[in-house]
């Protein structure tokens, strides 16, 4: 069994459901945990969070049973190291193009023998006191850490799509996260998710993951589309994001109240 619940769900073919989190604070993260979702992606690509806030959001997610993943902006030593050390159980990186960038991501995020992540027993490892981190040998600690952290870059550029079979097969890449908005835009068919061309691109990524035995996640904007992806066999779907759901819920509430006054 893996130390990462999402990896266990993948092994058991249980589709995981999560969401992006880019606006809220620690209390909102706790509230989100009560929804019963499986994972949350703390969005440091688009969200305004500094490192301390990201770490506290990870704590709040853990407290309420959400697997905390972090999307960072690029393959940057400091960003990767901080997310991993603070306790992210998944690292998602957008818009990568060239195969060497994917390899460098693994190099920075995974301990030896998969990569060359710098040694620390940080907050994510309970400062060395977590059962899985308090090991007799460093090798065992490295193995556990590598298992616990899912490295899942996004496929959302033409170059990544063209090389997706090679990318998915890289040891230490645990999965691929399709970014439908950016991928369709890169293909010159922005938001046209219904076009055969786009569906073929999705299929290519999905099959590359299957061939390499890797996890395949995607993003959707509705419950209907999320369920459809999961029925198709996707291993996980991030549905919408916190501030959209928040706004929609209050808009619906307000409209409901006003309509009862007519
Ligand atoms: C995209 O659709 O481009 C994404 O990155 C999903 O969040
Ligand atoms: Mg994107």
């Amino acid at each position: 069994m893996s130390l990462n619940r999402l990896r266990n769900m993948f092994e058991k073919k249980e589709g995981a459901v999560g969401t992006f989190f880019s606006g809220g604070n620690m209390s909102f993260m706790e509230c989100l945990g009560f929804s019963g979702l499986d994972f949350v992606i703390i969005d440091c690509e688009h969200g305004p969070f500094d490192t301390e806030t990201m770490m506290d959001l990870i704590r709040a997610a853990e407290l309420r049973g959400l697997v905390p993943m972090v999307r960072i902006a690029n393959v940057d030593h400091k960003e990767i190291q901080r997310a991993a050390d603070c306790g992210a159980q998944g690292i998602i990186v957008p818009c990568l193009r060239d195969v060497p960038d994917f390899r460098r991501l693994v190099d920075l995020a995974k301990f030896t023998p998969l990569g060359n992540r710098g040694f620390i027993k940080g907050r994510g490892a309970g400062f060395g006191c977590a059962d899985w981190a308090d090991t007799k040998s460093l090798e065992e600690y490295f193995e556990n850490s590598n298992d616990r952290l899912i490295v899942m870059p996004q496929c959302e550029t033409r170059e990544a799509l063209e090389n997706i079979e090679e990318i998915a097969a890289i040891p230490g890449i645990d999965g691929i996260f399709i970014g439908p908005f950016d991928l369709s835009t890169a293909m010159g068919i922005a938001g046209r998710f219904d076009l055969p061309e786009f569906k073929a691109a999705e299929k290519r990524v999905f099959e590359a993951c299957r061939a390499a035995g890797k996890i395949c996640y995607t993003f959707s904007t509705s419950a209907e589309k999320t369920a459809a992806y999961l029925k198709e066999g996707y291993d996980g779907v991030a549905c919408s994001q916190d501030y959209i759901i928040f706004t929609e819920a209050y808009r619906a509430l307000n409209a409901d109240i006003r309509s009862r006054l007519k």
Side-chain angles (χ1 to χ4, degrees):
M1 203 158 96
S2 169
L3 291 161
N4 188 309
R5 187 150 59 87
L6 299 178
R7 214 189 281 279
N8 289 326
M9 292 181 76
F10 167 66
E11 297 295 341
K12 288 194 242 160
K13 298 188 175 16
E14 289 170 8
V17 183
T19 193
F20 276 91
F21 191 93
S22 47
N25 64 12
M26 315 331 149
S27 298
F28 277 77
M29 181 62 89
E30 281 199 64
C31 293
L32 182 63
F34 290 113
S35 67
L37 290 179
D38 301 302
F39 67 91
V40 63
I41 301 167
I42 299 161
D43 196 355
C44 298
E45 180 194 6
H46 295 299
F49 313 125
D50 62 16
T51 306
E52 290 275 355
T53 306
M54 182 253 291
M55 183 162 69
D56 284 342
L57 289 170
I58 290 173
R59 287 192 173 105
E62 285 172 348
L63 181 67
R64 298 298 172 209
L66 289 163
V67 178
M69 306 179 96
V70 172
R71 178 161 72 176
I72 55 176
N74 52 43
V75 179
D76 174 81
H77 188 165
K78 194 163 151 185
E79 283 198 57
I80 293 171
Q81 189 85 55
R82 287 185 180 204
D85 293 349
C86 288
Q89 290 184 50
I91 289 191
I92 295 170
V93 189
C95 293
L96 299 186
R97 295 178 191 280
D98 304 321
V99 178
D101 289 338
F102 289 84
R103 293 194 189 278
R104 192 167 132 72
L105 168 62
V106 173
D107 193 57
L108 292 168
K110 295 281 190 178
F111 286 116
T112 185
L114 291 168
N116 290 292
R117 178 176 159 193
F119 172 74
I120 186 75
K121 291 193 176 181
R123 199 219 68 91
F127 305 100
C129 299
D131 287 350
W132 63 267
D134 190 15
T135 54
K136 289 207 176 64
S137 69
L138 268 189
E139 282 79 8
E140 198 183 335
Y141 170 67
F142 292 154
E143 197 180 312
N144 287 344
S145 298
N146 286 348
D147 167 54
R148 195 165 178 274
L149 179 66
I150 287 178
V151 171
M152 189 157 20
Q154 293 195 258
C155 179
E156 50 182 12
T157 62
R158 271 188 174 280
E159 295 88 335
L161 182 62
E162 275 157 23
N163 294 300
I164 197 64
E165 291 78 14
E166 185 183 348
I167 292 164
I170 294 172
I173 296 275
D174 297 298
I176 301 290
F177 190 112
I178 299 172
F181 283 90
D182 283 314
L183 181 59
S184 61
T185 304
M187 293 171 69
I189 47 171
R192 301 293 310 278
F193 307 132
D194 52 329
L195 288 184
E197 198 182 336
F198 184 73
K199 288 186 185 299
E202 281 184 314
K203 190 161 178 267
R204 181 167 173 187
V205 181
F206 182 81
E207 285 179 357
C209 289
R210 282 292 163 274
K214 304 293 175 71
I215 304 169
C216 190
Y217 277 25
T218 191
F219 173 75
S220 102
T221 51
S222 73
E224 189 188 352
K225 286 187 210 147
T226 300
Y229 276 125
L230 293 172
K231 283 184 184 168
E232 272 179 52
Y234 279 80
D235 304 305
V237 184
C239 182
S240 197
Q241 50 187 302
D242 55 348
Y243 59 78
I244 292 178
I245 301 285
F246 184 80
T247 311
E248 280 173 1
Y250 269 107
R251 276 191 167 161
L253 176 72
N254 188 35
D256 189 5
I257 295 167
R258 307 287 171 192
S259 72
R260 288 164 199 275
L261 298 177
K262 281 180 186 151

